[in-house]
Amino acid sequence: MVESKSNRIALYVSAFLVIILVLFAILRDNAESITLKEATKILKDHSVKSVVASQDFVYLKTDKEVYKIASSQVSPEMFIDYKVKVKSSSNIYFYLLVLVLFLGLGTLLFKWLQKNKLINTQNIKNGRFSSLPEHSQPVESIKSDVTFSDIGGISDVKIELEEIIDFMKKPKRYKSFGARMPRGVLLVGPPGVGKTMIAKAVANAAGVPFYYQSGASFVQIYVGMGAKRVHELFTAAKNNSPAIIFIDEIDAVGKKRDGQRNDEREATLNQLLTEMDGFENSSGVIVIAATNKIDVLDSALLRAGRFDRRVFVELPTNRERASILSKYLEKVPHELDVNSVANMTVGFNGASLAALVNEASLLAIRQHDFQVTIEHFHQVKDKVMFGKKKLQILSNEQKQYRVTYQAAKVICATYFDLPFEKLLLSNEKLTPATDEPLIKHELESRVKMLLAGIVACNIKYNEHTSSAKGDLDEAKEIVEKMIQDYGMGSSLIVQESEKEILMKKLYDETRSLLESLQSVMKYVEGVLNERESITKVDVKKKIDEVL
């Protein structure tokens, strides 16, 4: 505090001295003193351009210089050939005006730098002047108000973390058994599953300070700043222990060192490794980090003694989705069966479910409905999953191709019981892709659904449209993985023509299926022409009648 005050005083003194020097430069008399003889000479030579008289001096201005001579040495007769100007004392006001303008421009420049974040006002208040924005700001904890009850569908994760919470609350109990608290916990999972909220909930449950940093905030263009920031973070946490440090997207700073030069990134990673090694068992600080790319992390960061525990946060199951949706629907007027919404949201993460409920609520408001219904969820589901796309204006012929294409896809998806609830004529995608382990026949069913539109158009019109590209690309990708990666061909060793053979086989089987369900095709096409949408229940009912 004393040092900060001294720095502030030094800053003010320096500013005052600068102003004095500027005033001295402006007001200083630069004229050269001359004798009466010299003055008489240059006056007779007519080299003087103007004469200015003040109370103490007479100034003679030539092309090259300005001379001055004491007023007491000259007589009025010397200047009979010149028009003498009297120097007014009001010139001081001119200089004061210049000073005011100077200070005004300085203030405007300061405000511009502050607005564009080229200087840090907080540093100036603390007695430090720096052109680096926010890098020197003190690290401060935040108070977490997130509880585990606010997060649905993480019962397994909660069990893993409750031990750490208990350790931070009752450290003596564990130390009496010779146990030490894990130094680090790594939360691994895809984006949007709630890793940050889980870390905040741990801090709230343990009742300790929570220090949040993103991995990207350590990666600076200024040499040494990343390592300095890491040191400041850990020092602040130790000084306020017990505490939790949460580093989001740690892969931004903790990538594998591959020998290519990146001195700043490596220095930051080395500092992080050193700080985690420097923990004492009694420090009371635990590091929680989150990543969705554990495979790119440096092995030194993953070894025991740094991140001792790894918690995998997966996409929510059907039951967990229902739990999450119940949380988000608490304040939304509805009479929904939450399980129905959960069934139609396979592949959704927590963030997507929150967005889905919000979009359904907004749609209900736009349509002036009193409550949210399942129909609202059907209408906004694709917008949340795939993003809103501008619909093309189709001609009558193009619309008929589209109807046939979509009718075939919905029939195949229903026949093979793929996860979806409703198809809209404008759907770009019908069912979400999944990375879960799938059996061979499940993958084949998905490929058949993707090929169904092409097959149906070729049956009815002997051609298909270019809009099939997306489905065709996905079908090729699945077949490629089946043969190349999963060993699902005729043998485990890949044959040259395996992919072509499998694709033709699936195409022919899809054609046979659709030819046998032509009455269902006509029914679905009729519904799509009339309503531009159809549910899985309606299609299944019609297929059951035929079969």
Side-chain angles (χ1 to χ4, degrees), residues 162-171 174 181 202-203 206-209 241-245 284-286 288:
E162 275 179 340
E163 187 177 75
I164 293 168
I165 296 168
D166 191 50
F167 198 116
M168 299 193 83
K169 286 183 173 179
K170 307 168 187 174
Y174 290 85
M181 182 169 61
V202 172
V208 298
S241 63
I244 288 177
I245 294 173
V285 178
I286 186 167
I288 300 179

Side-chain angles (χ1 to χ4, degrees), residues 345-470:
T345 52
V346 177
F348 276 58
N349 56 41
S352 298
L353 292 171
L356 181 69
V357 172
N358 187 59
E359 289 292 341
S361 301
L362 292 174
L363 180 61
I365 292 170
R366 285 198 300 271
Q367 295 180 351
H368 305 290
D369 294 325
F370 294 106
Q371 61 183 12
V372 175
T373 65
I374 193 70
E375 187 63 30
H376 295 128
F377 281 93
H378 284 312
Q379 292 182 50
V380 300
K381 178 186 171 186
D382 282 356
K383 180 179 179 181
V384 174
M385 287 179 65
F386 310 115
K388 185 70 174 174
K389 294 186 178 179
K390 185 177 180 181
L391 297 178
Q392 293 178 326
I393 299 174
L394 303 176
S395 65
N396 289 332
E397 185 181 17
Q398 289 171 334
K399 182 180 178 182
Q400 289 310 308
Y401 274 74
R402 181 75 173 173
V403 165
T404 301
Y405 189 93
Q406 293 291 75
K409 283 183 67 175
V410 76
I411 289 170
C412 273
T414 305
Y415 183 85
F416 295 116
D417 198 24
L418 299 179
F420 83 100
E421 293 297 321
K422 185 177 184 178
L423 173 129
L424 300 176
L425 190 60
S426 59
N427 278 128
E428 289 293 329
K429 299 277 187 180
L430 180 58
T431 63
T434 176
D435 293 327
E436 295 178 6
L438 293 172
I439 306 169
K440 180 181 178 182
H441 75 264
E442 292 176 322
L443 290 167
E444 289 182 342
S445 296
R446 183 166 184 84
V447 174
K448 289 176 183 178
M449 182 272 295
L450 293 167
L451 295 176
I454 297 173
V455 172
C457 287
N458 288 342
I459 291 173
K460 189 171 183 178
Y461 308 112
N462 206 30
E463 61 181 354
H464 60 270
T465 65
S466 61
S467 58
K469 181 182 184 304

